[in-house]
Amino acid sequence: METKIKNFGECTVPSPADYEYYTSDSSRLLFRTVFQSKEDWNSYIESGPDFFEQAGPREKIFFRPKEVTAGIVTCGGLCPGINDVIRGIVMELFYRYGVSRILGFPFGYQGLVKKYSHKPIELTPERVAHIVEEGGSMLGSSRGNQSPEDMVDYLSLYGVKVLFCIGGDGTLRGAREIVDEIAKRGEEISVIGIPKTIDNDINYVQKTFGFSTAFSKAMEAVECAHVEAKGAPNGIGLVKLMGRHSGFIAVNAALASRNVNYCLIPEVNFDLHGNGAFLDELKKRIQKKGHAVIIAAEGAGQHFFEITGERDPSGNLKLKDIGIFLKDTMTDFFKKENIPVNIKYIDPSYIIRSIPADPEDSVFCGFLAQNAVHAAMAGKTDMVVGMWNNVFTHLPISVAIQERKVLQPDRSTLWRSLLASTGQPAHMLAK
């Protein structure tokens, strides 16, 4: 794993941020922290351990603040906390570094392409002072690829020296293309990614902003499903939560609720029919307890559908609706079993992603924003700001997008805790 961060050159400008202490540019964080034995540790060290560069303000920076125009773009789906990150970037640039020209480019990467005629917005502390009270993004967002040549032309037109790209996997891939085009031209425009996805599936990033808010809000839907299930004979509450490839929201919501009986995630396949399969287990639960609560991540059970290969504007495979599928399948199954059930289906997806950040996420967004600014002003590029083992880090974009982070049931304490909480079998496969 290559974790070296690109720099434009030596930092010679004394930082105007006026912090009492700074992070050394040579400060590193050990990637691995748990070792089974002394021999394991020795072997790891001898093999050349992986390190992450620690984030934080540098005592000397690369860019002269008065000569800097900064740009901010938000892409992809909405997520709690985007406005908090925008505000944090503006405040840090303006008050700590003295950067007075900050442009927000509307509607994602479309805002960096001249033909769309989305004029940039001048961002000032006054303009962003209260945006954290609102969900969504004050800059708007969009999906889809744009020409890196056109985007770099637009950045050059406005004299942008640092660009902050707030978004998920697709956004970071787009940022990577911008970096390559900048390098071809021999220009010095810093590109810093701030990972945004409520799915929490960015590689080697411990937590993404919006995740805490998302599963906290999901709890309301789960508790409503529990009330509905308990309030009717043979009641079944079914909740579909976001999570295309990763079940982190679903699992955390189930753990926080303690009223969930089955949690279905993309990382663990299950069968519908047969001894030990999902519907067989659900039938036993209904006959014994008279109610059940089920959470299904949106990417769960996709093996039940025919794969068409159709993709959305971001390049993601379009998923089939597992929630409606499960509702209809359970209805048919219990009808054939001559067991009357009351199924209540709840899909809070767009409510979850469009609300303002909760206090924990809001604080986290501030840290990410500040560390993104520190990195950009120090002349770093082609990187994302993340967190690993509770320390903020710099991570090359190429590492962040090489694969998606998923829950690993065979060695995950999170999944083990989930099984203990729900009581569901580790694998619901037909025997």
Side-chain angles (χ1 to χ4, degrees):
M1 182 169 58
E2 179 54 63
T3 59
K4 183 176 176 58
I5 300 299
K6 294 179 183 177
N7 290 275
F8 285 124
E10 183 181 359
C11 293
T12 59
V13 180
S15 174
D18 195 31
Y19 284 105
E20 291 186 1
Y21 66 94
Y22 293 88
T23 301
S24 169
D25 205 42
S26 60
S27 181
R28 298 290 185 270
L29 175 70
L30 193 64
F31 165 67
R32 186 176 165 191
T33 57
V34 177
F35 301 90
Q36 300 298 323
S37 65
K38 184 176 180 180
E39 291 72 23
D40 186 20
W41 161 259
N42 290 335
S43 175
Y44 182 65
I45 295 300
E46 289 171 3
S47 65
D50 293 317
F51 295 92
F52 293 134
E53 185 175 286
Q54 186 180 358
R58 273 35 177 182
E59 192 167 5
K60 290 189 176 181
I61 58 178
F62 180 81
F63 291 108
R64 297 185 181 279
K66 297 300 181 183
E67 300 172 1
V68 168
T69 292
I72 304 174
V73 64
T74 63
C75 310
L78 297 181
C79 174
I82 297 176
N83 282 337
D84 299 71
V85 174
I86 294 172
R87 183 184 185 278
I89 291 172
V90 172
M91 294 300 191
E92 188 71 16
L93 283 169
F94 189 90
Y95 286 115
R96 282 292 186 174
Y97 286 93
V99 174
S100 58
R101 189 167 187 247
I102 308 167
L103 303 176
F105 293 95
F107 301 113
Y109 284 140
Q110 284 188 11
L112 297 180
V113 178
K114 188 175 182 179
K115 70 178 182 180
Y116 290 104
S117 301
H118 300 315
K119 297 298 181 184
I121 301 168
E122 292 272 358
L123 298 177
T124 62
E126 293 74 24
R127 190 155 197 169
V128 302
H130 302 291
I131 62 173
V132 299
E133 299 167 9
E134 304 171 1
S137 167
M138 70 163 294
L139 298 177
S141 188
S142 70
R143 296 185 184 274
N145 297 325
Q146 304 297 335
S147 163
E149 293 83 3
D150 291 345
M151 291 191 285
V152 177
D153 283 345
Y154 209 59
L155 293 173
S156 298
L157 176 66
Y158 281 94
V160 172
K161 288 296 183 184
V162 298
L163 176 67
F164 300 96
C165 301
I166 306 171
D169 182 77
T171 303
L172 296 179
R173 292 181 188 279
R176 190 72 189 76
E177 293 180 2
I178 294 173
V179 167
D180 288 342
E181 181 61 26
I182 291 169
K184 286 180 186 177
R185 303 184 186 195
E187 297 188 32
E188 293 176 342
I189 304 175
S190 172
V191 178
I192 306 295
I194 302 172
K196 167 204 67 69
T197 165
I198 61 173
D199 291 353
N200 196 32
D201 61 355
I202 300 295
N203 200 34
Y204 297 115
V205 173
Q206 179 178 325
K207 183 178 77 167
T208 51
F209 77 83
F211 174 68
S212 170
T213 306
F215 89 76
S216 296
K217 187 66 176 178
M219 281 292 301
E220 296 180 12
V222 174
E223 291 309 301
C224 287
H226 181 239
V227 170
E228 290 285 355
K230 291 278 286 185
N234 291 342
I236 300 175
L238 171 62
V239 182
K240 186 182 79 172
L241 298 179
M242 287 187 167
R244 293 178 56 86
H245 303 282
S246 306
F248 292 109
I249 290 180
V251 170
N252 277 273
L255 285 172
S257 168
R258 304 294 180 184
N259 289 317
V260 175
N261 308 114
Y262 302 96
C263 183
L264 309 176
I265 62 174
E267 296 91 332
V268 180
N269 282 341
F270 59 96
D271 292 331
L272 289 172
H273 301 282
N275 182 29
F278 169 63
L279 292 176
D280 180 66
E281 292 294 324
L282 179 59
K283 176 184 173 181
K284 294 176 184 176
R285 164 81 194 183
I286 290 297
Q287 291 176 325
K288 182 177 181 180
K289 296 291 188 179
H291 72 279
V293 177
I294 305 160
I295 291 179
E298 62 179 320
Q302 293 300 306
H303 55 288
F304 297 124
F305 304 102
E306 181 181 351
I307 299 175
T308 63
E310 189 178 359
R311 295 181 180 272
D312 65 20
S314 293
N316 300 311
L317 280 173
K318 284 191 173 181
L319 301 179
K320 301 296 183 178
D321 195 326
I322 187 63
I324 296 296
F325 173 79
L326 286 176
K327 177 179 179 293
D328 293 342
T329 301
M330 289 189 297
T331 299
D332 292 341
F333 171 78
F334 283 107
K335 185 176 182 180
K336 290 178 182 178
E337 293 290 320
N338 199 28
I339 300 174
V341 293
N342 291 276
I343 301 176
K344 300 297 189 296
Y345 174 51
I346 302 174
D347 180 358
S349 299
Y350 290 102
I351 296 173
I352 287 172
R353 74 176 203 167
S354 59
I355 61 174
D358 67 14
E360 179 182 346
D361 257 332
S362 185
V363 171
F364 184 56
C365 288
F367 279 119
L368 289 172
Q370 291 164 359
N371 282 307
V373 171
H374 300 325
M377 295 304 294
K380 299 180 186 297
T381 190
D382 193 15
M383 55 149 280
V384 299
V385 176
M387 174 186 274
W388 195 252
N389 294 322
N390 297 315
V391 177
F392 288 96
T393 60
H394 297 159
L395 183 69
I397 292 178
S398 59
V399 175
I401 63 176
Q402 69 183 14
E403 61 182 351
R404 291 185 184 273
K405 182 178 72 176
V406 296
L407 191 149
Q408 298 177 333
D410 59 334
R411 48 185 165 144
S412 169
T413 56
L414 189 65
W415 182 247
R416 185 172 62 196
S417 296
L418 182 280
L419 296 178
S421 176
T422 62
Q424 71 187 64
H427 302 282
M428 288 182 283
L429 300 173
K431 299 172 184 176

